[in-house]
Amino acid sequence: MIRNYLKVAVRNLRSGSWYSALNIGGLAAVLAVSLLLFRWIQDELSFDRFHADVPRIYQVNTHFGKGEDEYTSTATPGPISVTALGEVPEVESAVRLGDYPSATFRVGTKIFTEKNNLAYADANFIEIFSGFKVLHGDKKALFPSPNAIVLSEKQARKFFGTADAIGKTIIHVESNATFTVSAVLEDAPDNSSFRNDMYVNLAILKTLDPRKGGRPVDENWDDYGFGTYVKLAPGADPSMVAKKLTSIQANMLKDATNPPDFRLQPLSEIHLHAVEGNDSADKQVGIMGVVALLLLSIGCINYVNLTTARATRRSKEIGIRKVVGAGSRQLAVQLLVESVLTLFLSLILSIGLLQGILPFYASITGKSGRFSLFDPQVWQILIGTLTFCFVLAGIYPAFLISGFNPIQALKGRSSQVSGASLRKSLVVAQFGLATILIAGTFVIGSQMRFIRDRDPGFDRKHTFTFDGRTFTRQIKQALSSESSILGVSTSTDTPVNVLTGTISTDWDGKTMDRTLIMAQLNVDQDFISNFQLRLIAGRNFGGTKADSTSIILNETALKQTGIKEPIGKRFKLNGTEGTIIGIVKDFNITTIREPIMPLVMYSLPQQHYRVHVHTTAQLAPTAVNKARQLWKRYMPAYPFEYAFLDTDYNALYRSEERTGQLFNFFAGIAIIISCLGLLGLTSFTTEQRTKEIGIRKVLGATVLNITTLLSKDFLKLVAIAIAIALPVAWLAMDQWLKDFAYKVDIHWWTFLLAGLVLMITALLTICFQSVKAAMLNPVRSIKAE
């Protein structure tokens, strides 16, 4: 029986090859894109869940202040880990991770500079992060000595050309310390929040920096330089553990007027839920899930529309089958087999398409882009997606067509089969979904242009920066005389993304119980003028000894401190008494997703290591070459590495850039699929009205008359779809923009333009088939059966 069903299904696919191609091609395209999207979503939702006992693992966050001064950070003091293990019985294990500064290593005769992939870690690191597979070395003794270092497989191959690097040595050039490789880990998977390639034993701090912050790491409660992760005992209450940790710190900081408190965040949530309360990552996953379902729905609507529309051609076949004894159930099974065959062929084609777009996917998402049919998780996605398509596109047409009256069908008058109202509703739904995607693309594009073009409050153009190490002042002096360079300044951070902050501040009028988190930036006397920051009161640093006790605040800091007539007023920073000499206009020191933080600027040039070189577009190559030559003179053992601030600035918005690129791609797919369906329906309609068209031409109708006749009904549906979808798109985009502290205004014409684009595209699609039908020889049209 099944064999007969398959034969009939194959015959029907061949007999309507044009419509079969539309169905299979449309479904294949949306399946390929949706499968990738669902894979990405699955990856995002599974972050850090590959570690054993992940429901019991928590990140310790520090919460400062209250009200408008409230701030939460992942940074914790070094002793909290040791104290938790010793004094909180609910804590089974605790590990600290600390950012290891960018460093240069020598392996044999080769020099490597490593950035953003190094971390300090406690010796029991693997107890909590057990999901990282140890390829070489002893898992029970990952760091057998203070100078032990753990590498990823990728890093081991980079340094030594082999993954088995146990016992091999690496020299830290800056300190001349020697590290010995004690273990090699498998490269971290895409769904890991911790993707470091080098882990250094935290105990090495006693060698490199014996008294970091003035006291040993395990005793210094003022040094918030570590991330802390704890594994709790089964059944332990994380809120109670957090209270105990807070109480312990309060006892250690008896002189503090308003000590911070600790909060535990599940490890499985840290990727999608930022500690400061920004859930934009979680929302992005939701948006992409909706987009995937929208694309699948558009593809399935095409299938339902074309299948039900073409059912009139099969009405006599179905009627005869019923008359000779076929039941509705048998006919439904026959039609379901056809749907399954169509889905199967679409799936095969979609896998081919998917392999073709994997490089595009990898370039946007930054993930590996692997999609293997041997992966059980891939099969979960496949089964779920195909089930969705089968229910939406297969079951309804099968039962609709198999359930009509055979007598009416044999007469060719089955209103049940025609389903015109249903098809009109589906066309409206289909183009409504496409309109939402197009409008979303326009708004996201506008926001990205706003980010790129918005004045951040400082001049970042044609400025490159590099680490001057211990020769920062000498490099600045030498570069300042170069004709290709407009100016040179130094600091501890770039203005694009200020990473350091402090709660150690005091001023006249500050209440004893207030904790204000302030960003801090150590700059020289040329920083403000070179970056064209605007002083709205007072003066700049003068390059004299007096600068060591001089303070400049931004507008937000002035507002939040409440200092009146600030010039000359007292301001204490990090234990040093100082005087406010100026107020600078607010500028963005982080992303524009967040409001501008209060900022305190001070000047201790001997601590500077960042060199900022300001030049022009034409002179930039010469300026970079001059800086490189000077670097080789002072530090020939180190490679010269620099970055333009425009690049660093754009890197802050990679997530939004990715969303914009994906929406552009998805909107294009939605338009193509919708128009393919419309093309199929128009083609079918013109076939059904071929004789009518011939008669109208004989009676004097022009090509324009006939094109208008065939187009107007479809264009009305598209117009209705646009009218319904635009308010929905407006609300959705307004909600998305709420994640930005600074955002573009939503204009009505943006949505009107989205509707116009879709209307013109639909009109061209309809006219293509309508004009073709209208230009047929009327004699041949009248003879058509």
Side-chain angles (χ1 to χ4, degrees):
M1 183 64 73
I2 295 296
R3 185 180 179 185
N4 182 58
Y5 287 155
L6 286 172
K7 282 184 177 180
V8 174
V10 171
R11 186 173 66 232
N12 284 324
L13 287 177
R14 286 178 176 174
S15 65
S17 56
W18 161 244
Y19 299 101
S20 297
L22 285 179
N23 274 333
I24 293 171
L27 280 174
V30 296
L31 276 174
V33 176
S34 299
L35 287 173
L36 268 186
L37 263 180
F38 285 131
R39 182 68 171 129
W40 179 81
I41 292 167
Q42 184 185 59
D43 200 51
E44 292 291 296
L45 294 176
S46 65
F47 253 72
D48 301 311
R49 296 178 187 270
F50 57 91
H51 298 294
D53 303 317
V54 73
R56 296 195 282 128
I57 302 175
Y58 294 84
Q59 175 179 270
V60 180
N61 297 326
T62 310
H63 177 255
F64 300 92
K66 54 187 177 181
E68 66 175 7
D69 298 335
E70 190 174 20
Y71 180 79
T72 304
S73 171
T74 60
T76 59
I80 197 65
S81 170
V82 179
T83 307
L85 278 173
E87 299 184 30
V88 183
E90 293 91 342
V91 176
E92 281 189 357
S93 184
V95 167
R96 290 167 294 187
L97 290 177
D99 290 335
Y100 191 104
S102 61
T104 302
F105 298 93
R106 184 167 63 246
V107 180
T109 58
K110 296 179 180 179
I111 298 293
F112 301 90
T113 297
E114 301 297 326
K115 294 181 179 180
N116 304 320
N117 65 343
L118 304 91
Y120 290 112
D122 277 316
N124 61 335
F125 166 77
I126 207 70
E127 288 181 11
I128 286 183
F129 300 105
S130 58
F132 294 128
K133 296 179 182 178
V134 180
L135 299 179
H136 304 282
D138 186 357
K139 186 174 183 178
K140 295 181 180 178
L142 209 60
F143 294 100
S145 64
N147 70 328
I149 188 170
V150 176
L151 304 180
S152 69
E153 182 181 7
K154 176 179 68 176
Q155 197 70 24
R157 293 187 184 280
K158 177 180 177 180
F159 281 169
F160 305 105
T162 177
D164 188 1
I166 302 300
K168 297 182 184 293
T169 58
I170 302 169
I171 296 175
H172 180 246
V173 175
E174 287 87 347
S175 66
N176 206 35
T178 299
F179 295 100
T180 302
V181 179
S182 58
V184 176
L185 304 179
E186 185 177 74
D187 293 339
D190 287 342
N191 60 342
S192 175
S193 297
F194 309 96
R195 302 185 57 79
N196 299 298
D197 290 314
M198 305 175 70
Y199 291 96
V200 179
N201 192 342
L202 190 60
I204 200 67
L205 275 177
K206 297 173 183 178
T207 302
L208 299 183
D209 190 0
R211 301 186 65 81
K212 187 174 183 288
R215 282 176 286 168
V217 174
D218 293 347
E219 300 174 14
N220 190 352
W221 289 90
D222 295 323
D223 182 10
Y224 288 78
F226 304 92
T228 301
Y229 304 86
V230 295
K231 182 195 286 188
L232 303 186
D237 183 353
S239 61
M240 291 303 297
V241 173
K243 288 180 181 178
K244 289 183 179 182
L245 295 177
T246 301
S247 177
I248 290 169
Q249 175 165 263
N251 291 332
M252 298 303 298
L253 303 175
K254 293 180 180 178
D255 297 333
T257 54
N258 188 22
D261 61 280
F262 294 112
R263 301 178 179 184
L264 300 190
Q265 182 181 15
L267 181 68
S268 57
E269 294 182 5
I270 66 173
H271 176 66
L272 295 180
H273 302 277
V275 292
E276 65 271 15
N278 187 336
D279 288 335
S280 59
D282 187 49
K283 288 180 180 177
Q284 186 181 44
V285 171
I287 289 171
M288 292 307 168
V290 171
V291 168
L293 291 176
L294 292 182
L295 289 173
L296 277 179
S297 299
I298 289 172
C300 291
I301 286 171
N302 270 359
Y303 182 82
V304 172
N305 271 343
L306 291 176
T307 302
T308 55
R310 293 189 66 241
T312 53
R313 289 197 165 194
R314 300 185 61 183
S315 59
K316 290 185 179 180
E317 172 201 341
I318 301 297
I320 293 171
R321 285 176 179 271
K322 279 203 162 189
V323 168
V324 298
S328 296
R329 184 173 175 275
Q330 291 174 304
L331 292 170
V333 171
Q334 168 66 59
L335 293 165
L336 286 173
V337 168
E338 293 181 20
S339 296
V340 170
L341 181 60
T342 301
L343 275 175
F344 179 72
L345 294 174
S346 299
L347 177 62
I348 293 174
L349 181 57
S350 73
I351 292 174
L353 292 173
L354 188 148
Q355 296 300 324
I357 61 177
L358 273 177
F360 172 74
Y361 165 84
S363 68
I364 291 179
T365 63
K367 298 184 185 292
S368 61
R370 292 189 297 268
F371 195 92
S372 172
L373 292 177
F374 296 102
D375 186 345
Q377 292 184 329
V378 168
W379 277 102
Q380 291 176 8
I381 298 170
L382 282 174
I383 292 171
T385 304
L386 292 176
T387 301
F388 177 87
C389 292
F390 180 70
V391 170
L392 199 63
I395 292 178
Y396 175 77
F399 283 95
L400 174 72
I401 297 170
S402 64
F404 66 81
N405 187 316
I407 298 175
Q408 294 296 321
L410 289 171
K411 293 180 178 179
R413 296 199 302 268
S414 177
S415 60
Q416 291 168 295
V417 176
S418 63
S421 298
L422 171 68
R423 288 197 298 278
K424 288 179 180 179
S425 301
L426 291 178
V427 168
V428 170
Q430 186 179 48
F431 277 88
L433 298 178
T435 302
I436 292 172
L437 287 176
I438 296 170
T441 298
F442 286 174
V443 173
I444 292 172
S446 296
Q447 178 66 12
M448 292 311 302
R449 285 190 296 274
F450 175 77
I451 289 172
R452 286 193 297 267
D453 300 339
R454 182 181 184 274
D455 180 11
F458 62 91
D459 183 14
R460 66 179 189 272
K461 294 180 180 178
H462 316 308
T463 299
F464 64 93
T465 179
F466 58 91
D467 187 343
R469 300 180 184 261
T470 57
F471 296 96
T472 301
R473 283 189 287 178
Q474 294 92 321
I475 290 173
K476 175 186 175 180
Q477 186 176 0
L479 288 177
S480 296
S481 61
E482 294 292 338
S483 59
S484 61
I485 294 172
L486 303 181
V488 184
S489 56
T490 63
S491 67
T492 51
D493 271 319
T494 71
V496 167
N497 194 18
V498 178
L499 299 174
T500 55
T502 181
I503 58 172
S504 181
T505 58
D506 189 37
W507 61 90
D508 294 335
K510 180 184 179 183
T511 57
M512 295 292 291
D513 63 344
R514 185 171 184 191
T515 300
L516 177 63
I517 295 285
M518 299 184 74
Q520 57 181 353
L521 186 57
N522 185 351
V523 304
D524 67 0
Q525 72 273 21
D526 297 314
F527 185 93
I528 288 178
S529 58
N530 284 354
F531 280 105
Q532 298 182 21
L533 301 179
R534 182 183 167 195
L535 277 168
I536 58 177
R539 63 175 179 84
N540 189 9
F541 298 111
T544 64
K545 280 188 176 182
D547 286 348
S548 63
T549 56
S550 297
I551 297 293
I552 295 177
L553 303 178
N554 70 349
E555 292 174 295
T556 299
L558 182 64
K559 179 182 177 181
Q560 293 196 16
T561 57
I563 301 173
K564 306 296 182 184
E565 299 180 359
I567 306 303
K569 293 289 180 67
R570 164 186 168 271
F571 194 95
K572 188 177 182 180
L573 174 66
N574 298 327
T576 301
E577 290 287 352
T579 303
I580 300 173
I581 64 168
I583 303 297
V584 69
K585 187 175 179 60
D586 278 345
F587 61 97
N588 286 106
I589 57 174
T590 56
T591 73
I592 67 171
R593 286 187 293 268
E594 307 297 334
I596 292 176
M597 286 184 66
L599 172 69
V600 54
M601 302 173 74
Y602 61 103
S603 185
L604 296 172
Q606 66 273 18
Q607 298 178 358
H608 295 176
Y609 57 89
R610 299 304 310 178
V611 180
H612 312 290
V613 180
H614 307 260
T615 181
T616 66
Q618 293 78 17
L619 296 175
T622 304
V624 170
N625 192 46
K626 292 291 184 182
R628 181 181 288 108
Q629 292 173 4
L630 196 61
W631 177 275
K632 288 181 178 178
R633 184 195 310 170
Y634 285 108
M635 292 168 284
Y638 301 96
F640 178 63
E641 296 187 345
Y642 65 96
F644 277 89
L645 288 187
D646 269 336
T647 303
D648 290 345
Y649 182 81
N650 292 333
L652 296 175
Y653 304 98
R654 280 182 186 147
S655 175
E656 288 74 20
E657 192 72 41
R658 177 181 64 199
T659 302
Q661 289 177 320
L662 288 175
F663 256 77
N664 288 339
F665 180 65
F666 299 146
I669 293 292
I671 291 174
I672 291 170
I673 301 303
S674 298
C675 289
L676 281 177
L678 194 58
L679 181 64
L681 282 177
T682 308
S683 176
F684 176 77
T685 301
T686 54
E687 281 185 27
Q688 293 294 95
R689 303 176 69 174
T690 301
K691 188 171 291 188
E692 175 192 344
I693 292 169
I695 294 171
R696 286 180 179 274
K697 288 197 73 173
V698 169
L699 295 177
T702 64
V703 172
L704 180 61
N705 294 144
I706 294 171
T707 301
T708 303
L709 174 72
L710 296 173
S711 304
K712 64 180 181 181
D713 289 338
F714 286 115
L715 291 178
K716 284 179 184 177
L717 297 178
V718 175
I720 292 171
I722 293 171
I724 294 172
L726 289 183
V728 177
W730 185 298
L731 292 172
M733 288 297 100
D734 183 63
Q735 188 66 31
W736 180 76
L737 287 171
K738 285 181 180 178
D739 285 333
F740 295 88
Y742 308 93
K743 52 185 177 288
V744 70
D745 293 327
I746 298 181
H747 299 289
W748 61 268
W749 54 263
T750 302
F751 296 88
L752 184 63
L753 181 61
L756 189 61
V757 167
L758 194 65
M759 179 64 79
I760 292 173
T761 308
L763 179 62
L764 292 175
T765 303
I766 296 167
C767 287
F768 170 78
Q769 195 66 35
S770 299
V771 170
K772 182 180 175 182
M775 295 182 69
L776 285 175
N777 188 326
V779 176
R780 292 179 59 190
S781 299
I782 293 171
K783 287 181 178 180
E785 291 295 330

